Amino acid sequence: MDVSSQAVVFRGAGGVEVIAVEPRAVRSPGPDELRIRVAAAGLNRADVMQRRGFYPAPAGVPADVPGLEYAGTVEATGGAVQGWAVGDRVMGIVAGGAMCEHVVVHAREALRVPPGLSLEAAAALPEAFLTAWDALVLQGGLRPSGLVLVHAAGSGVGTAAVQLSRALGASTVGTSRSEDKLARCGPLGMDHGILVSREGEVRFAEAVEQRAGRRADVIIDTVGAGYLAENVRALAPRGRLVCLGLLAGATGELPLALL
């Protein structure tokens, strides 16, 4: 049967004044689903953009309840679910609505929380690490001994990409506009850092080759158009550029002769 949950809701678009907590009914799980008692939910830039009215929720999820990732315990299982039991600790990504005391997810979309990891920490893992894994491995085809250029290395996806690259046996060069962020990425496994200027034309391709001794096999870019030309210059032959964000615009110049 349905359960009553408290949820964070946005009463329109605006600043923090539109945030409220209201009761919501959450349905029972279907045959292949789990109902999760949420212990913590991650906060992402998309949630802030949704609050401001710039990121509409996709169809099928609550339009006014934010939250793209969660961690908690299984409270109920559908009749066809196998491999999960009430009380199991889980985490995962949803299309929206994670900032609620309960969420219903397909059993195949839930991830087991590793022993020793708190549910609060687990709630901040799926969005960044699954995005980074998809970009590096499934889209970028990263191999051990490869070189990865990670833009905005101090961001959530950036720090995840640095750690995953090290675990996969690859080297990393990271860019940032902050010396402090570059310094903090070193202990996470970043081999080289490049400080990008906040003013004037962006240049980093030559620095990548100087620091690492070669160009990048994979580039993880959350910046977009402003970095497009330099990204192509920084790529090794048959390198892969994976674009994850458009913070510096959606339209840029592509040096076709070099490509």
Side-chain angles (χ1 to χ4, degrees):
M1 64 179 181
D2 292 354
V3 297
S4 179
S5 293
Q6 293 294 312
V8 174
V9 300
F10 295 153
R11 293 176 172 173
V16 294
E17 73 280 354
V18 305
I19 302 174
V21 176
E22 297 179 356
R24 290 295 169 92
V26 178
R27 63 179 175 83
S28 298
D32 299 306
E33 294 178 322
L34 307 172
R35 187 170 67 210
I36 310 300
R37 175 82 179 186
V38 176
L43 176 66
N44 289 274
R45 184 172 182 271
D47 300 311
V48 179
M49 298 298 288
Q50 181 179 349
R51 189 204 73 213
R52 295 172 60 194
F54 300 132
Y55 191 92
V61 299
D64 57 350
V65 180
L68 302 176
E69 56 187 339
Y70 70 90
T73 54
V74 176
E75 185 176 86
T77 64
V81 170
Q82 297 182 357
W84 292 106
V86 172
D88 285 347
R89 302 194 321 147
V90 298
M91 59 184 178
I93 289 179
V94 292
M99 293 188 188
C100 184
E101 288 183 311
H102 295 86
V103 294
V104 175
V105 302
H106 196 288
R108 291 170 58 190
E109 296 174 337
L111 302 168
R112 203 171 296 277
V113 175
L117 187 68
S118 71
L119 291 177
E120 291 80 6
L125 286 181
E127 187 71 36
F129 275 84
L130 289 176
T131 300
W133 175 268
D134 178 73
L136 288 168
V137 179
L138 301 184
Q139 310 303 327
L142 181 63
R143 297 289 185 268
S145 77
L147 177 65
V148 184
L149 172 58
V150 181
H151 291 306
S155 66
V157 172
T159 54
V162 166
Q163 293 173 78
L164 288 172
S165 297
R166 171 57 63 90
L168 291 165
S171 301
T172 54
V173 178
T175 70
S176 177
R177 294 183 176 183
S178 165
E179 288 275 18
D180 178 63
K181 289 182 179 180
L182 290 175
R184 287 188 286 165
C185 286
L188 298 179
M190 189 176 74
D191 297 286
H192 309 282
I194 298 173
L195 184 66
V196 178
S197 174
R198 294 178 178 271
E199 299 177 0
E201 191 174 6
V202 175
R203 294 289 187 186
F204 51 79
E206 184 177 346
V208 170
E209 197 155 9
Q210 289 176 343
R211 307 280 176 87
R214 54 180 170 143
R215 288 184 282 171
D217 301 299
V218 179
I219 297 178
I220 305 300
D221 179 31
T222 58
V223 180
Y227 282 16
L228 178 59
E230 274 294 281
N231 277 334
V232 175
R233 295 184 183 99
L235 273 176
R238 304 187 72 82
R240 280 81 62 197
L241 168 60
V242 185
C243 184
L244 298 180
L246 302 171
L247 294 176
T251 303
E253 289 191 6
L254 180 65
L256 286 173
L258 179 59
L259 189 67

